[in-house]
Amino acid sequence: MSHILLIHSSVHGQTVKICEYMKQKAESQGVKVTLATLADNPSVEGFDKVFIGASIRHGKHRPALYQFIEANKEKLEAVPNGFFSVSLVARKPMKNTPETNMYYQAFLKQSVWQPQVQEVFGGNLDYQFYGPVDRNIIRFIMWITKGPTDPHTKVEYTDWDKVDNYVQRMIDA
């Protein structure tokens, strides 16, 4: 039985929700999964596979993600690995793949690591959950990108069938 380390970097919790779902799905197939937050700087030692999921905040992945990757590049490359990004931009059909998502492409350019199993998932939009500053910034971004701006909007853009597919790719890696 393989043992997967699944690391998450999340701001508002959707990436954590996706990782918890992935853990449940993989474990239902007999795979052991350990969840860890990037903030705890987890050790990648002793795992057969390592996967990382990170959300976008104001158009960028967090600097800690790149620091972790730089510090663990050789260990990441020594085992089957993968990365997925979670963003509201990925709600759009022409921006929901690693090849077409500008944030994922920026990640690949900035990162010293090129993950083997790659994916992009839509995030969660919940204006009432955000603080006033984030709410206004996100509403402005959504206005620019022709998304919902009603301050009572709550919609999850995560395609769970796509997540299921990624879990299978993660297991098969």
Side-chain angles (χ1 to χ4, degrees):
M1 167 176 34
S2 67
H3 189 181
I4 299 172
L5 175 61
L6 183 54
I7 303 168
H8 54 80
S9 173
S10 189
V11 177
H12 296 295
Q14 189 66 13
T15 305
V16 173
K17 181 178 179 180
I18 291 168
C19 286
E20 288 171 347
Y21 176 89
M22 294 170 104
K23 179 181 193 282
Q24 175 206 5
K25 283 292 191 176
E27 287 181 341
S28 74
Q29 295 187 48
V31 177
K32 185 174 181 181
V33 178
T34 296
L35 284 182
T37 177
L38 184 66
D40 289 339
N41 193 26
S43 171
V44 299
E45 296 291 333
F47 294 94
D48 303 311
K49 303 174 185 183
V50 180
F51 288 79
I52 303 172
S55 63
I56 294 294
R57 179 168 174 82
H58 305 310
K60 298 178 182 175
H61 289 102
R62 296 165 122 180
L65 172 67
Y66 298 103
Q67 294 163 0
F68 179 84
I69 289 168
E70 286 178 21
N72 292 281
K73 180 182 184 283
E74 289 180 19
K75 294 173 187 170
L76 288 170
E77 291 175 343
V79 295
N81 63 73
F83 176 73
F84 63 90
S85 180
V86 179
S87 70
L88 288 173
V89 166
R91 76 188 187 283
K92 294 185 163 197
M94 296 307 294
K95 297 185 184 205
N96 67 357
T97 69
E99 298 78 23
T100 61
N101 185 281
M102 63 189 153
Y103 300 132
Y104 202 95
Q105 289 301 304
F107 166 79
L108 292 174
K109 287 177 184 158
Q110 289 179 277
S111 177
V112 296
W113 169 57
Q114 300 299 295
Q116 296 167 346
V117 183
Q118 303 179 19
E119 195 54 83
V120 173
F121 300 122
N124 183 53
L125 178 63
D126 183 357
Y127 287 122
Q128 295 302 305
F129 176 78
Y130 308 135
V133 173
D134 279 345
R135 183 180 311 121
N136 287 322
I137 290 171
I138 294 168
R139 283 183 73 204
F140 179 68
I141 292 168
M142 293 303 270
W143 177 75
I144 290 171
T145 62
K146 298 181 180 19
T149 57
D150 181 315
H152 300 288
T153 300
K154 183 176 183 175
V155 61
E156 185 175 68
Y157 291 106
T158 305
D159 179 340
W160 294 102
D161 289 335
K162 193 174 180 181
V163 176
D164 287 343
N165 179 271
Y166 189 82
V167 170
Q168 194 59 53
R169 292 168 53 208
M170 188 172 72
I171 292 169
D172 294 342

